Amino acid sequence: MTTTSTLPSDFLWGFATASYQIEGAVNEDGRAPSIWDTFCQIPGKIADGSSGKVACDSYHRTADDIELLKKCGAKAYRFSLSWSRIIPLGGRNDPINQKGLNFYLKFVDYLHAAGITPLITLFHWDLPDALHQRYGGMLNKEEFVADFTNYARVVFSAFGSRVKHWITFNEPWCSAVLGYNTGVFAPGRTSDRTKSPEGDSSRECWIVGHNILVAHGAAVKVYREEFKGRDGGEIGITLNGDWAEPWDPDNPADIEACNRRIEFSVSWFADPIYHGKYPDSMVKQLGGRLPTWTPEDIALVHGSNDFYGMNHYCANYVKAKTTEPDPDDFTGNLEILTEDKNGNSIGPETQSAWLRPHPVGFRKLLKWLSDRYDGPKIYVTENGTSLKGENDLPLERLLDDEFRAQYFRDYIGAMADAYTLDGVNVRAYMAWSLMDNFEWADGYGTRFGVTYVDYKGNQKRIPKKSAKVIGETFDKYIKKE
Ligand code: PNW
């Protein structure tokens, strides 16, 4: 199948990273702490007790990272800005840190000089800690929206036409659910009192999700009204979503639950943006705990994507629950499983408990999105895998990451099928990640890079096999003009 499929000649591909996962230099040149700096200090929150204090040291290794991108043949690079480097205390009346801004401005110049297109994410989870302390961060709609909009304006105005692709938020589902329901990500709020003294899992995640949507919409309005005409760029949000297959394909309840699972993760955000309302399944289950839209807020959100940013990693089996939904449930009242009714696994195990590769699910989700949202332009902003036991391998074997290479061949092939055979308007693809980095609560033991980073050896970068395979794979699919 995949051999006949192609991708268009202007298809943009490259690699992705995020500020807190790679930069290090957390106290340098005026940067102030983010909620992740604070969260990492709490014993027990990060698997190996680590933090992003040094990470890949990218703040000091611009030249290395550009060299690496060139070596991998990247046409594009998606990275995120650390808000607390640019406005250390975060707020609209707080000072701007020119040194922090200059670091990114220079970086973008180097990318252009290397012929690499920058895609910038404004927010990849590292909220300035001062805003969390000051007013509860993303729980406070008025303050958060005003401060995010100010930050976005500062950034748009500084970069001007040098950046044409803007992503407001990365994976709001993770910020809301993992940060305010399960509490496994910063700021770690949850109803589980063994994990956090504060938090209400049944309510806060829905409030945070809502506030992120409004902040996204407000920033898009600023871009469109004040910058787009002059700078000619485009802007959207990046949502995470995995594919779902029924645990029992003969049970209509499981089939329905698959759709609900995607609605609770993807449509929670995408329906307000494309359809101007929350999905019925969520309204039905959550009732008054799901915030309602004021006319002003939904006017900001509805129609606010120039492109759909899609992060995608895997698939799961889904089994409908037959009991009343728990107030803390965020899934749509169902079980998310790795094996079906007959004990078949959805895909091979990786180092990440939640990730089992299932490439055909990528094609199916692309089609699902395209159908539900009327064929939006899709940019895949992340796709990749960890590899079971990779961290324990001797270097020579670690560099020969055939499992990851095959993952990329299969997933890129599935995407080419979606484009060619299903008519999905997918136009860009960024592999996660350019290099091994700080994998949040999993610390450094879980590697996602196509490049090995030697954390004990001066953060030296050595490309793995998969780094080369991605370029070869795109070369095969992309039509020559
Ligand atoms: C994404 N889950 O996160 C992020 O955007 C990256 O920063 C991260 O490194 C990458 O995927 C790999 O994990 C996710 O638990 C983290 O389902 C966790 C989940 C999904 C996405």
Side-chain angles (χ1 to χ4, degrees):
M1 197 85 118
T2 49
T3 46
T4 59
S5 291
T6 58
L7 291 167
S9 62
D10 61 351
F11 193 89
L12 203 57
W13 68 269
F15 302 86
T17 60
S19 47
Y20 192 68
Q21 295 181 273
I22 65 164
E23 286 178 1
V26 292
N27 299 316
E28 253 170 88
D29 290 343
R31 182 188 180 278
S34 74
I35 54 172
W36 272 93
D37 295 272
T38 315
F39 188 68
C40 291
Q41 309 250 303
I42 308 172
K45 298 297 183 194
I46 311 299
D48 53 5
S50 67
S51 75
K53 194 161 180 260
V54 179
C56 308
D57 196 30
S58 281
Y59 191 72
H60 298 122
R61 286 163 201 271
T62 298
D64 290 358
D65 289 352
I66 303 274
E67 230 12 78
L68 183 59
L69 285 160
K70 278 167 65 177
K71 209 185 219 168
C72 298
K75 291 203 213 173
Y77 181 47
R78 170 183 181 236
F79 62 100
S80 81
L81 310 181
S82 157
W83 183 345
S84 65
R85 251 187 227 295
I86 295 173
I87 307 174
L89 299 177
R92 55 205 182 278
N93 299 313
D94 296 320
I96 294 171
N97 178 31
Q98 194 58 44
K99 278 189 179 167
L101 202 45
N102 286 348
F103 165 72
Y104 296 113
L105 288 167
K106 264 204 244 147
F107 188 74
V108 164
D109 283 345
Y110 287 124
L111 283 174
H112 281 304
I116 298 165
T117 303
L119 282 77
I120 294 189
T121 312
L122 293 175
F123 185 89
H124 199 124
W125 307 349
D126 44 356
L127 180 79
D129 194 55
L131 301 185
H132 182 67
Q133 306 297 340
R134 194 180 285 166
Y135 56 71
M138 294 187 279
L139 281 168
N140 186 322
K141 189 179 85 173
E142 270 66 38
E143 295 290 337
F144 177 66
V145 171
D147 284 344
F148 182 75
T149 311
N150 171 72
Y151 160 59
R153 184 183 280 111
V154 166
V155 169
F156 297 147
S157 137
F159 286 89
S161 62
R162 284 185 273 185
V163 175
K164 306 269 193 215
H165 310 280
W166 295 100
I167 293 151
T168 53
F169 287 87
N170 178 72
E171 302 191 349
W173 182 94
C174 287
S175 293
V177 170
L178 307 181
Y180 292 83
N181 176 299
T182 63
V184 297
F185 277 13
R189 293 174 67 90
T190 174
S191 293
D192 182 346
R193 291 287 164 265
T194 65
K195 284 198 197 147
S196 167
E198 286 172 29
D200 178 351
S201 301
S202 73
R203 292 179 187 275
E204 290 185 0
C205 57
W206 312 115
I207 294 168
V208 166
H210 194 82
N211 295 348
I212 291 177
L213 275 169
V214 179
H216 155 79
V220 170
K221 182 176 155 79
V222 165
Y223 189 70
R224 288 179 178 166
E225 288 181 357
E226 300 171 31
F227 300 96
K228 197 179 166 99
R230 186 192 76 187
D231 300 333
E234 50 178 8
I235 186 163
I237 196 168
T238 278
L239 306 177
N240 54 302
D242 302 329
W243 181 246
E245 290 288 344
W247 179 77
D248 176 0
D250 295 325
N251 183 355
D254 287 357
I255 294 170
E256 215 180 292
C258 286
N259 213 54
R260 208 161 59 241
R261 151 91 170 137
I262 302 174
E263 290 180 339
F264 267 72
S265 44
V266 170
S267 310
W268 174 8
F269 303 99
D271 274 17
I273 292 174
Y274 290 96
H275 298 157
K277 62 189 189 69
Y278 282 125
D280 293 342
S281 59
M282 294 184 73
V283 176
K284 186 171 168 224
Q285 181 177 318
L286 304 170
R289 287 183 288 120
L290 190 65
T292 47
W293 289 107
T294 64
E296 300 79 43
D297 287 349
I298 197 62
L300 287 172
V301 174
H302 192 188
S304 58
N305 256 2
D306 294 335
F307 59 86
Y308 180 105
M310 176 188 191
N311 286 0
H312 178 80
Y313 287 88
C314 58
N316 289 105
Y317 288 113
V318 160
K319 186 176 194 292
K321 282 189 181 169
T322 49
T323 49
E324 280 300 300
D326 186 283
D328 292 351
D329 174 67
F330 55 85
T331 64
N333 203 30
L334 46 91
E335 288 176 72
I336 297 166
L337 303 164
T338 51
E339 289 178 4
D340 71 4
K341 195 184 173 188
N342 301 314
N344 299 314
S345 176
I346 191 92
E349 281 182 58
T350 67
Q351 187 62 30
S352 312
W354 53 274
L355 200 173
R356 293 198 185 189
H358 184 74
V360 70
F362 188 23
R363 177 176 171 188
K364 290 180 181 176
L365 186 60
L366 281 160
K367 177 78 165 65
W368 191 97
L369 293 171
S370 195
D371 289 347
R372 187 167 178 118
Y373 302 117
D374 200 16
K377 175 160 72 175
I378 297 178
Y379 290 171
V380 177
T381 43
E382 283 179 29
N383 174 241
T385 190
S386 58
L387 205 152
K388 199 168 175 59
E390 185 176 20
N391 198 39
D392 305 321
L393 294 174
L395 183 59
E396 203 178 306
R397 281 185 50 207
L398 190 152
L399 294 176
D400 187 20
D401 61 340
E402 176 54 30
F403 179 86
R404 183 177 286 108
Q406 193 55 40
Y407 176 99
F408 284 121
R409 290 185 202 104
D410 291 344
Y411 270 79
I412 294 166
M415 175 175 70
D417 286 348
Y419 175 79
T420 310
L421 307 172
D422 304 333
V424 174
N425 190 19
V426 57
R427 293 283 164 168
Y429 174 100
M430 306 296 132
W432 185 270
S433 176
L434 176 63
M435 57 192 143
D436 295 334
N437 57 48
F438 176 68
E439 179 52 13
W440 308 111
D442 288 342
Y444 293 97
T446 300
R447 296 173 178 268
F448 268 87
V450 300
T451 303
Y452 169 76
V453 175
D454 187 356
Y455 299 115
K456 296 194 192 95
N458 212 18
Q459 323 319 92
K460 187 172 157 55
R461 290 115 162 86
I462 311 174
K464 305 175 192 174
K465 177 183 187 179
S466 57
K468 209 166 130 235
V469 165
I470 291 176
E472 289 167 0
T473 307
F474 278 108
D475 200 44
K476 188 175 114 194
Y477 286 112
I478 294 177
K479 278 194 229 152
K480 314 280 178 290
E481 347 237 37

